Amino acid sequence: MSEPQQPPVPPSAQPNPAFPPAPPHLPAAPQYPAAPQAPAAAQYPAGPQYPAAPQNAGAQPGYPAYPTAPKPTGPGNPLGRIAFVIAVVTAGLSLLVSLFTPFLYMSTGGFETTTVISGILGVISLLGYAAALVLALIAAKRPGSQLLVGIAIGIAGVGLLGLVISFVSSTFYRFF
């Protein structure tokens, strides 16, 4: 077998037995395993050496300095907050209608009165969910916190979908 060929070592890098290396005067730096390096393809003469630019003067030694995100300065997303409040109030109204429907059957005028009250509150819920969804979709395009906007979109979207399905199914009850 033949020996692997090594690139020639420049004369300045060869050890000189007349001048042994001086011992270091500073404490030894921690030794970390070096990353594997690719072999040098070609040797070029050393050009002028420039001092390295400082990385980050405020960073602690040994730790990289990462840029920090800017702090929010505004009050958040007020349109998203309004959409969230409308969606939660409308969902609460729909929940109350569902809970009190059996009591409405037993009290006042029976089925006809309950149907009228449920229908009116259903239309109010439909308008509330639609308004909350539209406001939340507009607020989603604006800068600021998006958490309440996302919650408002979820509540209003599911409530609107449930009401539409409920209205369609009640329409089928009248025909069949």
Side-chain angles (χ1 to χ4, degrees):
M1 292 209 118
S2 65
E3 294 182 27
Q5 295 184 354
Q6 301 286 331
V9 179
S12 63
Q14 294 177 351
N16 190 348
F19 299 104
H25 297 289
L26 299 174
Q31 297 294 320
Y32 299 108
Q37 297 180 358
Q43 295 291 328
Y44 296 105
Q49 298 292 325
Y50 299 104
Q55 294 291 331
N56 190 347
Q60 294 181 353
Y63 295 101
Y66 296 104
T68 58
K71 303 279 187 228
T73 56
N77 197 343
L79 192 60
R81 192 175 303 123
I82 291 170
F84 173 74
V85 169
I86 291 173
V88 168
V89 167
T90 306
L93 179 67
S94 297
L95 179 66
L96 287 176
V97 168
S98 298
L99 290 175
F100 288 118
T101 300
F103 299 114
L104 288 174
Y105 283 130
M106 291 185 288
S107 65
T108 59
F111 183 74
E112 291 81 22
T113 306
T114 305
T115 304
V116 170
I117 292 174
S118 294
I120 291 171
L121 291 176
V123 170
I124 292 171
S125 295
L126 180 72
L127 295 175
Y129 283 136
L133 186 63
V134 168
L135 288 176
L137 290 175
I138 292 171
K141 300 283 186 181
R142 294 186 177 183
S145 176
Q146 301 294 322
L147 177 66
L148 294 178
V149 173
I151 294 172
I153 289 173
I155 293 173
V158 168
L160 195 61
L161 185 66
L163 280 175
V164 168
I165 291 172
S166 175
F167 287 156
V168 169
S169 67
S170 66
T171 303
F172 287 139
Y173 289 145
R174 294 177 195 252
F175 293 124
F176 300 108

